Amino acid sequence: MNGDSFVVRRGTSRKDKVVRMRLSADELAAIETAAAAADMTMSAFLRSLLLEGAGVQPLLAEEDRAVMGFLADEMRAVGANLNQLARTMSSGRAVKPADVTANIGEVQMVVAAVVAELKALAKRAGYRRRGEG
């Protein structure tokens, strides 16, 4: 492959190859439920998961990776601030209540942003998985 990534484009090749696998009844039921929740056939659902797992189709789009990276950086910064406050308090030095309040506010904002982005990511991933854009 010469270092080039292999890309499978939807609808560009005939799907005439069959893969067999064994599942327990519980596993099959869980997959059927997940496929139905994604509004996909079981075949399309499994295909999308397998292509993601094989690295053929990325799990996250480039924009999603960028946003998640930004949010991770924000979480690290807030965590560093909280650690600094904790070290100050454990050393017996006084901490301004406003500093604690500000840090708690930052944590709440970052957590809210992470939750909102994860919800949006799940929706976008479902659309992508179904080939809807």
Side-chain angles (χ1 to χ4, degrees):
M1 280 196 229
N2 301 333
D4 296 333
S5 59
F6 177 69
V7 178
V8 174
R9 300 192 198 300
R10 293 186 186 272
T12 59
S13 63
R14 186 166 171 233
K15 293 169 184 66
D16 59 352
K17 302 298 179 197
V18 175
V19 175
R20 291 179 42 101
M21 61 189 291
R22 294 181 186 275
L23 300 168
S24 70
D26 289 343
E27 290 170 332
L28 180 60
I31 293 168
E32 288 172 336
T33 299
D39 195 26
M40 298 174 72
T41 65
M42 196 156 68
S43 179
F45 183 75
L46 288 171
R47 184 180 313 105
S48 71
L49 292 175
L50 290 169
L51 291 173
E52 287 172 2
V56 174
Q57 178 176 304
L59 178 63
L60 296 177
E62 187 63 36
E63 309 85 50
D64 295 329
R65 282 193 296 276
V67 170
M68 295 307 274
F70 171 76
L71 290 173
D73 290 344
E74 289 296 307
M75 287 292 266
R76 275 190 285 281
V78 168
N81 290 344
L82 289 173
N83 282 335
Q84 188 175 23
L85 278 175
R87 279 194 301 272
T88 301
M89 289 172 24
S90 65
S91 72
R93 294 184 306 210
V95 174
K96 297 176 190 170
D99 289 343
V100 174
T101 302
N103 275 281
I104 290 171
E106 287 179 20
V107 168
Q108 289 172 329
M109 285 190 300
V110 172
V111 167
V114 168
V115 168
E117 185 56 33
L118 288 174
K119 284 181 180 179
L121 175 63
K123 188 177 255 187
R124 286 190 304 273
Y127 290 145
R128 244 186 48 246
R129 184 164 279 126
R130 289 188 299 272
E132 296 174 2

